[in-house]
Amino acid sequence: MQPPRRKRDLVASATQVDFPALAIATARVPVLLPYPFVGPFDYRVPAGMAVAPGDVVRVPLNRREEFGVVWDGAADGSVGDNRLRPIIAKIDAPPMRPDVRALVDWIASYTLAPPGDVLAMALRVNALQPEPPRTGWQIAPDPPASRLTEARQKILATLADGPLGGAALVAASGVSSAVIRGMADAGWLIPVTIATPAAFAPPDPDHPGPILSPAQTVASAQLRDAVQSRTFSVSLLEGVTGSGKTEVYMEAIAQALRQGRQTLVLLPEIALSAQFLARFTARFGVAPAVWHSNLSPRIRRRTWRAVAAGDALVVVGARSALFLPFPDLGLVVVDEEHETAFKQEDGVVYHARDMAIVRARLCSAAAVLVSATPSLESLTNVEAGRYAHVHLPDRHGGATMPEIALVDLRTDMPERGHFLAPSLVAEIHTTLARGEQAMLFLNRRGYAPLTLCRACGHRMQCPNCTAWLVEHRARKLLQCHHCGHNVPIPPACPECSASHSLTPVGPGVERITEEAAATFPDARVLVMASDTLIGPDAAAAAASRIEAREIDLIIGTQIVAKGWHFPHLTLVGVVDADLGLAGGDLRAAERTVQLLHQVAGRAGRADAPGRVLLQTFSPEHKVMQALLSGDFSRFMQSEAAERRPGNWPPFGRLAALIVSADSADAADRAASELGRAAPALDGVTVLGPAPAPLSILRGRHRRRLLLKTRRDIAVQPVLRAWLDAVPTRRDVRVDVDVDPVSFL
Ligand code: ADP
Ligand code: ZN
């Protein structure tokens, strides 16, 4: 509402209550629409309708009707009363909560994304319509007295225990739905509404859990206190892989449950949820609610409503779960907080870990970040006293950390055309002979990352991107991993027409699988890659085959690195430990250590000790040395020492501008224009413009500029002023990435 400007208005508004007609004339509210406009639009509230911020409404937009949300703050008033269009209807749905609206505003202003684009993410999780009642069949109270066929008798027998939904009835009786309809028409069956199953039984915090070790007891007490206080706080739970971090944060969840408050657990990879669900169920007696983008509309709606009603007390989910309507959120856990998968790279570019902390603050909840190898950002926040530190130094139950060794590929050379060094091969043989499991890790999908013509040297490149095409031999394709473009593997070189001259260069998991099959012919091999294991169910099935020891050798991409617990896995071989170190990424070393430590942590988690072999061409590299010594904290101190002097994150702030256009010229022109308008402020540096490493992506030419500021300077106002100073061009896009984690 706008403050009254003059005394007379004050009088008028005080008496409005007696003159409803007056109130109607001025009843306008801001409505935010899920589109990239600069802000909400004003709409008129028609007579007889009352709306409040958060209400979901249907409004006219141009010639269409759209859903929007009545927003906070004053109407902007720029459109005259006479041209103001009315709200069509208020939707009968739970209003968007104030903390969710505040989160939307916060993300928009932090990332410089249009608020409507952020609202669109929040509305996508929103289940606007209530779940339609499920109908089913029951036996009519006074059935006709005619004779029954065998099929009809089966239906009656199946329904003797109570009503069933149509599909369930077909499945249980083995009789077709035509028979059911026929029986209904003949008066044997009547339709009934079936109660929705109570899918969200409350987890029991006092369900017996494991007996915690002394270190775990101390750690869980710290987290419990943080939850108990009902105030915002952030704790970093750091502990080596297998130290029992999950068991410890379960105690924080138990505390939230005792207080009747809700918990959100964010996982970087929803494929991981299967093992989490099993652990959770063991601890609390029932499974938590699950949230991710592949839920069926029915489950989605039911889950959303259960969260809004406070019935779903614990939700485990992917990034988008941040926008769920928790009425009383007491705890937010971000597991594997160092994972870059938490950064959403397309659409609204935001970091779900950081926004989880914002959400926790808006709800006066405790946030717990969990990792064996925390990000330098979080460690620095601990050092500065902004985050509490909760530490588990040892593996649980006397399991030892795996022994790590380097395989020097310069001297311990694989056979020609092979990728596994003799020492690694020997170690796998020994492991398999002992009846234990081994894992080979290579963070690259497909058969080979490059295809080269032996006759003319031509390299198979994507026509739309600055990238090589990756061979996927099983699918007989060459595919671009950036835009998805693919072509059948050509029989001859497209450049020089030489036939049978195209040769794969380098390995992907598919090629390693081929080598493993030849080298370990008796081993039962399972490949785990994001393009072969799609969705949590496939991952869960794979995990249970591994646990049941139906598999001897696991070969996988980064999906196998995550928090899996495979008790019989004792050997991990990293095929190419140098893979992540190429390129000029600020965090390349940090990330490689995190990833490889994580992979290594899969080995020897139970009784048998684990062993890890890292194949590398540069054994002396600080990353290999850090992994060898296991001294993660010393490595992170050296990272900090390298980044501090130049004000690199987390000691300064970064934002990237990515300029893209259909032609190289237009991209260059726009990028240099931005470069010339770069802010000249103390403590602010602009790097670039420079061609992006992926200088062409999906046919668009890309240039990058990087804004670097001292930590005490907020980048958003600087960015806004900078972008405002340069006219927008229709043929050019400028994408903003605040706190970039990818520099492609
Ligand atoms: P992290 O998350 O730190 O990698 P987990 O929580 O997965 O470690 O624990 C590793 C293994 O040890 C799991 O199988 C877990 O069930 C078991 N574990 C941890 N703490 C206990 C405990 N106090 N009692 C029994 N088992 C435990
Ligand atoms: Zn491409």
Side-chain angles (χ1 to χ4, degrees), residues 79-202:
V79 174
D81 277 347
N82 53 340
R83 287 191 302 125
L84 205 60
R85 305 181 69 184
I87 293 174
I88 298 165
K90 183 169 135 181
I91 305 303
D92 180 22
M96 183 171 277
R97 303 182 44 78
D99 51 297
V100 175
R101 299 191 315 264
L103 183 70
V104 168
D105 280 338
W106 209 96
I107 294 178
S109 91
Y110 190 84
T111 63
L112 269 69
D117 279 353
V118 187
L119 178 75
M121 297 195 298
L123 277 184
R124 258 200 296 283
V125 313
N126 202 334
L128 293 180
Q129 314 300 335
E131 190 175 337
R134 272 189 344 141
T135 55
W137 300 104
Q138 72 178 27
I139 302 171
D142 45 356
S146 53
R147 269 180 49 82
L148 281 170
T149 63
E150 201 180 320
R152 289 184 168 196
Q153 283 176 19
K154 267 194 204 152
I155 297 267
L156 290 189
T158 312
L159 287 176
D161 295 336
L164 275 179
L169 181 54
V170 169
S173 64
V175 173
S176 79
S177 55
V179 176
I180 300 172
R181 273 195 308 274
M183 287 178 78
D185 292 343
W188 283 95
L189 302 181
I190 54 168
V192 283
T193 303
I194 296 189
T196 324
F200 303 99

Side-chain angles (χ1 to χ4, degrees), residues 24 84 232 261 289 314 350 363 370 388 417 426 453 465 475 501 540 639:
I24 287 159
L84 205 60
F232 167 65
R261 300 184 83 195
V314 179
Y350 73 102
C363 298
V370 184
C453 171
C465 305
R475 287 187 284 146
S501 72
E639 280 292 292

Side-chain angles (χ1 to χ4, degrees), residues 164-358:
L164 275 179
L169 181 54
V170 169
S173 64
V175 173
S176 79
S177 55
V179 176
I180 300 172
R181 273 195 308 274
M183 287 178 78
D185 292 343
W188 283 95
L189 302 181
I190 54 168
V192 283
T193 303
I194 296 189
T196 324
F200 303 99
D204 174 10
D206 300 317
H207 188 89
I211 296 171
L212 299 183
S213 71
Q216 290 175 336
T217 306
V218 172
S220 61
Q222 279 175 275
L223 297 184
R224 245 196 335 262
D225 290 349
V227 175
Q228 168 99 52
S229 73
R230 291 176 175 270
T231 52
F232 167 65
S233 65
V234 186
S235 307
L236 174 65
L237 172 58
E238 180 181 4
V240 296
T241 51
S243 57
K245 296 183 293 296
T246 316
E247 301 298 344
V248 166
Y249 76 68
M250 292 283 189
E251 295 314 304
I253 299 176
Q255 180 60 36
L257 287 169
R258 287 189 191 101
Q259 289 178 291
R261 300 184 83 195
Q262 291 167 297
T263 297
L264 168 62
V265 179
L266 285 183
L267 299 181
E269 179 91 59
I270 205 65
L272 274 180
S273 61
Q275 280 199 337
F276 179 86
L277 296 186
R279 301 269 299 267
F280 188 94
T281 309
R283 173 64 187 81
F284 295 110
V286 297
V290 179
W291 187 267
H292 56 80
S293 51
N294 295 330
L295 294 179
S296 73
R298 180 186 288 275
I299 300 292
R300 227 175 147 68
R301 209 180 291 127
R302 189 182 299 169
T303 307
W304 192 92
R305 294 260 163 177
V307 172
D311 294 338
L313 285 165
V314 179
V315 179
V316 51
R319 292 186 300 235
S320 59
L322 270 179
F323 297 99
L324 286 173
F326 300 95
D328 192 9
L329 189 61
L331 171 65
V332 182
V333 177
V334 183
D335 204 350
E336 313 288 5
E337 68 90 28
H338 62 276
E339 278 285 345
T340 49
F342 284 121
K343 180 76 185 277
Q344 172 157 307
E345 296 284 0
D346 26 63
V348 178
V349 181
Y350 73 102
H351 203 305
R353 172 197 61 207
D354 300 347
M355 297 311 136
I357 292 172
V358 173

Side-chain angles (χ1 to χ4, degrees), residues 54 75 122 140 166 227 230 238 278 440 682 726 743:
V227 175
R230 291 176 175 270
E238 180 181 4
L440 286 170
D682 188 34
V726 178
F743 295 86

